[in-house]
Amino acid sequence: SQLVRASDPHEISEMWPETLVVYRCVIRNVKASGIDDLLAFLFAQRTQRDVPVNSLAWHSQIAALAGLNGHREAGAPVDAANADSELTQWIPISLRRAQTRGQCLATARWARVGSQVEKITGHFDDYLFFRSPLTGNFEAQCDVSAFMMQAMAAGTFLGNDGDRSHLWQGTFRNSASRVKSDLRFSGFDQWIHQRSVVRNDTCTTSLNGLVALTDHPPAPLDPWYAVRCWWRMHAAARDIRISGNPVIPEVVELSAVSDLRGWYPYYEVSAGTPGAVWEHLPEENSSGQIVGHSGAPPGSFCESLLAYQRPIDSVGSIDYEFFYEPGKTEVHPALDRMVFYLQPDGVRIHWLTDGPFDRTGLGPENMSELLPRSDAPSPLPIKPGAWNQLKIEVNEQHATLHLNGQPICDTDIDASNDRVFGLFHFADQTEARIRNLSMRGNWPLTLPEPSEQELADPRPEQLDADLAKLQDVFTHDFAHDGVPERFFTTGKNQPAGTVDAGPDGLAIQRPGGSPWCDTFVNLPFLVHGDFDMEVAFTEFHAIGDEHGCIMLVVELDDDKRRQCRILRIRDELQRQELHSSLSEIHQDGGRSFSARPPKKSEAAAGRL
């Protein structure tokens, strides 16, 4: 370890001994003295600092080993070995391109521990997608690791940056950009609470209660909700819950969005912008065309693939129309690396290479023999100079192709095939034109209740389970009945300030000072048995250099006069937080408090 710390490597070849040692110990789960420290040093001082430079593959593997080792040290399960750790409502997806796969970057791995999911190892941009598409009006919220993980809704992900003046923002295709922010966060905890509300084709995202982005993406909105993490980060998300009235469609349109949100080029050429190699063009009587342009050097067999972010389900299908003009306009469907190359005499398989990053020696011109055709017509029922209809169906590890309503291919797909759908053509030979593309899957068509969502913390629903049994309810209309003294007693322990009744309740202004100044509203009720109390507040604003808060207090009628308190507070250090405590009185008249750690919250409105 001392020799490694004293070294100054410039090439990967100078680090093989320490690499081999940590690799074998972690992969074989062998405990050895100094290994944890050695791996921590390699990750923190080499990988995190990009030393040596231009060594992405090595850094990726070291980050994966560090994540795996740290996860084991925490005593959490690494793989889904039992029903409690399996994920059925969420799908792990990585943005995998020729560059990342050709360089053999690590594979992403996630693990569930109760209502928390942890990303142990990463490939590049790594996501966990909610399995069902969501349209209409809904909201999704969760806690994510501060600075390291973001949530994505309506095709855009957003997260905070450690210096408080910037945000991370991006899309599945374009990864993250660091953007300037005028938000003024008072501070951050280990977790950031993120909430995305989709209403009327607008997505509003809040971080710790501050609205950070109001997005008006082109319609139709991207229907996939996900959490995202970069490969170098070991992060987590917890209590992911989706509510509201979403519509879960049976069919998702994939070719109607003008910026091709959700699509990405496998070879990292441009896409989704005017004049890009892959672009969206309007067309009468359709939702528009996806066009893959030609123009690569003749004879180069220039592979060009546009892939969709969300793989086809284990049982699912893709339908689309493509224009066919032999030698001029052609496009071929792909599942992962497996390209079904359509020719008049049948279907051949072209295996996608990783271009300049490919290590297999397979040439881009590779083509298999014709696939066997027991019932397929010969020649294929393809119509030159016209639009053709193609459907690709997947059933577990089996794929079937239909062309213009007739089956043309029926074949097995390898278990390693991730079923990412793509549109392929040789850009030196043809262009590609596609329209009316849609996806079907075997995803659930109803949103589970939060109590049934596998990554939602069950405790809120458990606490509220008995609310239906509480039949006695007190309600009051402030706008109609004002603030009668028999229901509300207002007062102050110091003069000044106002309490005004309005249609929405009580508006309170409280000047501060020393000692503690408060304006209170008491409800002169005695409540017995089981009960639930809640107060809603809006427009909370505290200024000055001292504490300012709104507090809900319930005093219990026991010998210690216990008080349950929850506060939305701005303290003298300008920290915006939520506090909760339980206090009791002692014989000398003093009180002692036991409290949970405070939680950061910038929300100006909410419920206590």
Side-chain angles (χ1 to χ4, degrees):
S1 177
Q2 292 179 351
L3 291 174
V4 172
R5 291 173 183 272
S7 65
D8 182 22
H10 298 282
E11 302 290 341
I12 296 178
S13 58
E14 301 174 50
M15 301 185 294
W16 283 135
E18 55 266 40
T19 302
L20 179 60
V21 168
V22 296
Y23 172 80
R24 289 205 170 181
C25 287
V26 173
I27 295 301
R28 297 180 180 181
N29 198 14
V30 174
K31 293 293 183 182
S33 176
I35 289 300
D36 290 349
D37 289 341
L38 176 58
L39 181 53
F41 173 81
L42 293 177
F43 178 63
Q45 301 301 320
R46 300 278 171 81
T47 292
Q48 293 284 52
R49 298 174 62 187
D50 199 26
V51 176
V53 297
N54 302 320
S55 304
L56 180 59
W58 186 85
H59 293 313
S60 170
Q61 298 296 337
I62 291 296
L65 292 174
L68 182 57
N69 191 57
H71 196 71
R72 283 178 179 157
E73 289 295 318
V78 173
D79 295 304
N82 54 64
D84 182 61
S85 61
E86 290 179 351
L87 287 170
T88 60
Q89 298 173 354
W90 298 83
I91 303 172
I93 298 171
S94 293
L95 176 60
R96 302 203 294 171
R97 285 188 164 115
Q99 182 177 7
T100 66
R101 296 177 81 177
Q103 295 186 82
C104 301
L105 302 192
T107 300
R109 301 174 71 177
W110 299 76
R112 174 191 173 193
V113 183
S115 59
Q116 181 168 311
V117 63
E118 300 177 3
K119 203 210 73 174
I120 308 169
T121 68
H123 178 74
F124 200 73
D125 282 354
D126 305 301
Y127 292 80
L128 203 61
F129 271 53
F130 188 62
R131 186 178 172 194
S132 296
L134 302 171
T135 63
N137 297 331
F138 66 93
E139 70 175 62
Q141 53 186 319
C142 62
D143 291 338
V144 296
S145 296
F147 319 137
M148 295 185 287
M149 187 172 281
Q150 307 86 33
M152 181 175 77
T156 297
F157 64 79
L158 191 74
N160 66 302
D161 184 88
D163 70 358
R164 306 187 191 182
S165 62
H166 289 79
L167 297 172
W168 289 111
Q169 182 177 337
T171 65
F172 190 91
R173 176 173 68 241
N174 294 329
S175 193
S177 297
R178 194 165 178 262
V179 297
K180 185 72 175 177
S181 170
D182 293 330
L183 298 177
R184 290 294 176 262
F185 292 97
S186 64
F188 298 109
D189 295 321
Q190 177 185 358
W191 300 93
I192 292 291
H193 186 72
Q194 185 154 347
R195 178 171 178 251
S196 295
V197 179
V198 177
R199 294 280 188 278
N200 302 320
D201 293 335
T202 296
C203 181
T204 303
T205 298
S206 302
L207 303 176
N208 276 356
L210 276 183
V211 174
L213 178 67
T214 301
D215 194 18
H216 305 279
L221 268 63
D222 187 291
W224 307 108
Y225 178 79
V227 291
R228 176 255 184 197
C229 187
W230 194 43
W231 67 272
R232 199 178 280 182
M233 305 299 184
H234 308 125
R238 67 182 185 185
D239 193 18
I240 310 178
R241 57 181 60 235
I242 302 170
S243 58
N245 298 294
V247 176
I248 300 180
E250 295 184 25
V251 181
V252 176
E253 300 296 330
L254 305 185
S255 57
V257 183
S258 59
D259 65 359
L260 295 182
R261 191 167 298 203
W263 292 90
Y264 65 97
Y266 188 73
Y267 296 99
E268 298 184 285
V269 294
S270 55
T273 56
V277 173
W278 288 93
E279 67 174 325
H280 184 276
L281 296 179
E283 181 189 48
E284 291 185 9
N285 303 320
S286 83
S287 58
Q289 292 185 31
I290 297 177
V291 177
H293 294 292
S294 58
S300 61
F301 284 92
C302 179
E303 297 170 290
S304 184
L305 181 83
L306 187 70
Y308 188 66
Q309 60 187 354
R310 207 276 199 189
I312 303 176
D313 268 349
S314 57
V315 178
S317 63
I318 294 282
D319 290 83
Y320 65 91
E321 296 177 63
F322 68 96
F323 194 82
Y324 177 68
E325 192 170 351
K328 184 177 180 182
T329 306
E330 299 181 15
V331 65
H332 312 277
L335 291 177
D336 195 10
R337 293 188 183 276
M338 191 177 190
V339 179
F340 297 88
Y341 203 83
L342 310 179
Q343 295 179 314
D345 57 346
V347 179
R348 302 175 187 269
I349 298 298
H350 167 73
W351 293 104
L352 205 67
T353 75
D354 287 327
F357 304 98
D358 195 86
R359 299 178 180 222
T360 66
L362 189 66
E365 74 284 353
N366 75 86
M367 202 72 65
S368 75
E369 298 295 325
L370 286 172
L371 294 183
R373 295 174 294 160
S374 56
D375 301 323
S378 182
L380 293 186
I382 193 166
K383 298 179 290 187
W387 288 95
N388 293 259
Q389 178 72 40
L390 190 132
K391 181 174 187 176
I392 180 169
E393 294 180 302
V394 173
N395 191 341
E396 301 297 341
Q397 301 309 135
H398 197 80
T400 304
L401 270 66
H402 297 261
L403 179 61
N404 293 323
Q406 300 186 51
I408 60 169
C409 176
D410 193 63
T411 186
D412 291 331
I413 55 178
D414 190 82
S416 64
N417 190 303
D418 61 15
R419 302 190 305 277
V420 168
F421 175 77
L423 300 166
F424 175 87
H425 74 123
F426 286 113
D428 61 314
Q429 301 172 22
T430 65
E431 70 170 5
R433 293 170 60 191
I434 307 95
R435 69 184 185 187
N436 298 330
L437 197 152
S438 61
M439 171 188 282
R440 287 175 171 82
N442 61 340
W443 49 70
L445 295 177
T446 57
L447 178 69
E449 293 295 326
S451 60
E452 300 298 322
Q453 294 177 23
E454 59 192 5
L455 291 180
D457 190 328
R459 288 175 294 180
E461 282 67 40
Q462 292 168 357
L463 289 171
D464 289 344
D466 290 333
L467 285 181
K469 301 176 185 177
L470 306 180
Q471 299 297 317
D472 298 327
V473 179
F474 169 75
T475 61
H476 181 77
D477 187 340
F478 287 93
H480 185 267
D481 296 324
V483 188
E485 292 185 358
R486 68 182 186 276
F487 291 153
F488 303 96
T489 302
T490 63
K492 311 167 187 175
N493 73 343
Q494 297 290 336
T498 59
V499 181
D500 298 317
D504 297 322
L506 295 172
I508 300 175
Q509 290 187 341
R510 172 69 262 178
S514 295
W516 181 272
C517 300
D518 64 14
T519 296
F520 55 84
V521 180
N522 288 336
L523 279 68
F525 302 152
L526 291 179
V527 183
H528 300 271
D530 298 331
F531 59 89
D532 183 79
M533 291 188 177
E534 181 178 298
V535 59
F537 67 93
T538 60
E539 300 180 46
F540 173 77
H541 184 51
I543 60 175
D545 298 325
E546 299 181 356
H547 286 82
C549 71
I550 178 171
M551 180 193 313
L552 173 63
V553 183
V554 176
E555 184 166 310
L556 305 182
D557 184 21
D558 61 4
D559 57 345
K560 294 188 176 182
R561 291 172 55 193
R562 290 182 174 89
Q563 289 184 351
C564 308
R565 303 183 182 197
I566 183 167
L567 302 82
R568 168 65 177 91
I569 189 169
R570 197 291 317 272
D571 68 12
E572 73 276 9
L573 298 179
Q574 311 301 308
R575 294 176 298 198
Q576 304 276 0
E577 296 176 333
L578 289 173
H579 290 196
S580 59
S581 67
L582 178 67
S583 71
E584 58 184 41
I585 199 164
H586 299 284
Q587 291 182 350
D588 62 2
R591 277 192 176 273
S592 61
F593 293 82
S594 59
R596 295 292 299 269
K599 182 177 181 179
K600 292 292 187 296
S601 176
E602 314 279 346
R607 291 171 295 175
L608 305 175

